[in-house]
Amino acid sequence: MKSCSINSHASLFSRREQPIFTTRAHVFQIDPNTKKNWMPASKQAVTVSYFYDVTRNSYRIISVDGAKVIINSTITPNMTFTKTSQKFGQWADSRANTVFGLGFSSEQQLTKFAEKFQEVKEAARLARDKSHEKIETPSNHSQASSVNGTDDEKASHAGPDTHLKSENDKLKIALTQSAVNVKKWEIELQTLRESNARLTAALQESAASVEQWKRQFSICRDENDRLRNKIDELEEQCSEINREKEKNTQLKRRIEELESELQEKETELKDLRKQSEIIPQLMSECEYVSEKLEAAERDNQNLEDKVRSLKTDVEESKYRQRHLKVELKNFLEVLDGKIDDLHDFRRGLSKLGVDN
């Protein structure tokens, strides 16, 4: 029974750690090459805890991301936690040969973590001092026992019964304490088994969550590709719309130019209409001259003498008439051409308006 309890104690001695403070933060490590840049050790905020080993009387900072241990730092009295900003702090671990950095979501969390670091650091210092005192105390007891050895031998010879009784009492106390310790270790073993089961379930749940995140990432990536293609299509449509706007702007400028030309043509047409009002007067003059010529021809038979005197007038009248007819003909041809151009221009303008 006694050997079994000793073996159980030895198997549990290195695992009796208890979490004393827990928070969440983004974990970083210093770049080992540059010693300047921070490298993220976790993709998201993870649990960071202080653990106390009751057997070794030591403290550690531990953080696990899924199945990967990203922080395992034993706190020593020489360590210092430094606040580098309102939400970021760091400390150097010479054993791990790295510098850890933690990014918190608020300044209050950083302050609590720093205060706990200072508290644990002080506790580690006290534990180190006590261990030094324990090392020195047994040496002093050994020296004292060597000096008083003869007295103890005399006392043992003088009272063997008393000595055996005291030894028996000590064994009874040790046996009782051992039984209590065995019960306590069995409870702790059961607690550790339950904790291990919970951690196993959490690990399985984390693996399932990773698979779910992978599926969600694949869906998001496909959605991202689809959105990018949609953006490319929209950009192409926007470029087409811009080209259409440029065409419409050019057409508007062309319409304004055509409207300006139309106004000029209408002005010319008004001028031509004003000139055409003179034509009836010219026609009436032409008819008057013709009548006068006919009268002159009728009188030619009776007035041969007058014909000779009026021949020059008749010749001039005929020349003037021919000249007027030629001018009138030319004017009518020009007027017809202008009217045809105006009709063509109106048809072109109407067709352009319909196409637009």
Side-chain angles (χ1 to χ4, degrees):
M1 177 68 181
K2 186 175 181 180
S3 61
C4 180
S5 64
I6 293 172
N7 292 332
S8 299
H9 176 68
S11 63
L12 294 173
F13 190 78
S14 61
R15 295 187 296 170
R16 293 175 61 185
E17 286 184 306
Q18 301 174 356
I20 58 175
F21 180 82
T22 301
T23 185
R24 292 184 67 82
H26 291 271
V27 180
F28 299 86
Q29 287 187 10
I30 201 72
D31 190 345
N33 297 323
T34 62
K35 298 296 183 180
K36 293 181 180 180
N37 301 326
W38 287 107
M39 300 173 58
S42 63
K43 297 181 180 179
Q44 58 186 358
V46 295
T47 301
V48 181
S49 302
Y50 286 92
F51 278 84
Y52 173 59
D53 189 341
V54 296
T55 58
R56 296 182 180 179
N57 199 17
S58 62
Y59 297 86
R60 288 196 298 170
I61 299 177
I62 297 177
S63 179
V64 180
D65 186 7
K68 179 182 177 183
V69 178
I70 55 179
I71 298 180
N72 185 6
S73 177
T74 301
I75 300 175
T76 64
N78 298 326
M79 288 184 177
T80 302
F81 185 81
T82 305
K83 295 181 182 179
T84 57
S85 67
Q86 293 183 350
K87 297 181 181 180
F88 192 87
Q90 65 183 47
W91 77 95
D93 190 341
S94 58
R95 295 182 180 178
N97 193 22
T98 187
V99 179
F100 293 102
L102 297 179
F104 296 89
S105 60
S106 66
E107 185 177 0
Q108 290 77 9
Q109 291 182 350
L110 174 60
T111 302
K112 290 180 180 179
F113 188 88
E115 292 175 352
K116 196 65 180 178
F117 192 96
Q118 187 64 28
E119 178 184 340
V120 169
K121 174 183 173 181
E122 184 65 21
R125 186 186 64 79
L126 294 175
R128 183 187 64 181
D129 296 341
K130 287 181 179 179
S131 64
H132 289 169
E133 292 176 358
K134 288 181 180 179
I135 293 172
E136 293 175 357
T137 301
S139 63
N140 294 332
H141 283 298
S142 63
Q143 293 176 1
S145 62
S146 64
V147 173
N148 298 325
T150 56
D151 296 337
D152 293 337
E153 290 176 358
K154 293 176 182 179
S156 62
H157 288 294
D161 294 337
T162 305
H163 180 71
L164 289 174
K165 186 177 181 180
S166 63
E167 288 294 330
N168 190 18
D169 293 338
K170 289 180 181 180
L171 287 175
K172 287 181 179 180
I173 294 171
L175 182 60
T176 304
Q177 186 66 30
S178 177
V180 172
N181 290 335
V182 168
K183 187 65 176 178
K184 182 179 180 181
W185 295 334
E186 288 177 353
I187 294 172
E188 289 183 357
L189 177 60
Q190 183 64 26
T191 303
L192 287 172
R193 286 176 178 173
E194 293 176 356
S195 178
N196 189 21
R198 288 195 298 270
L199 289 174
T200 303
L203 182 60
Q204 293 175 354
E205 184 179 356
S206 177
S209 299
V210 168
E211 294 297 328
Q212 184 178 1
W213 292 339
K214 286 182 179 179
R215 290 193 296 270
Q216 291 179 356
F217 176 75
S218 178
I219 294 171
C220 292
R221 184 173 56 190
D222 295 338
E223 183 69 15
N224 189 19
D225 294 337
R226 188 183 67 79
L227 291 175
R228 285 182 178 176
N229 294 330
K230 187 64 176 178
I231 289 172
D232 293 337
E233 293 177 359
L234 292 175
E235 288 179 350
E236 185 177 357
Q237 292 179 1
C238 290
S239 61
E240 291 179 358
I241 291 172
N242 292 330
R243 288 195 293 270
E244 291 295 332
K245 287 182 178 180
E246 291 178 357
K247 289 181 180 179
N248 290 334
T249 304
Q250 293 177 358
L251 289 174
K252 286 181 180 179
R253 286 199 296 268
R254 181 59 181 166
I255 289 172
E256 290 176 355
E257 293 175 356
L258 293 174
E259 288 179 351
S260 177
E261 292 180 1
L262 179 60
Q263 291 178 356
E264 293 178 357
K265 295 294 183 181
E266 288 179 351
T267 303
E268 292 180 0
L269 182 60
K270 289 180 181 178
D271 295 337
L272 291 174
R273 285 177 179 175
K274 290 181 180 178
Q275 293 178 3
S276 65
E277 292 177 356
I278 306 173
I279 294 175
Q281 183 178 358
L282 294 176
M283 292 295 293
S284 62
E285 290 181 358
C286 183
E287 291 177 355
Y288 174 72
V289 171
S290 297
E291 291 177 355
K292 189 175 181 180
L293 180 59
E294 290 176 357
E297 288 178 352
R298 286 193 301 268
D299 293 339
N300 187 31
Q301 294 177 359
N302 299 322
L303 300 172
E304 289 180 357
D305 294 335
K306 290 183 179 181
V307 169
R308 293 185 184 92
S309 62
L310 296 173
K311 188 175 181 179
T312 302
D313 296 333
V314 171
E315 292 290 335
E316 291 177 357
S317 297
K318 288 180 179 181
Y319 176 77
R320 184 180 178 185
Q321 185 178 8
R322 286 194 299 272
H323 181 69
L324 289 174
K325 286 182 178 181
V326 171
E327 289 183 354
L328 181 60
K329 184 177 180 181
N330 293 334
F331 178 77
L332 290 175
E333 289 176 354
V334 171
L335 180 62
D336 292 336
K338 295 290 183 179
I339 293 172
D340 292 336
D341 291 340
L342 183 61
H343 286 308
D344 293 337
F345 178 77
R346 284 182 179 275
R347 284 194 298 271
L349 183 61
S350 300
K351 185 177 180 181
L352 181 62
V354 171
D355 293 339
N356 189 24

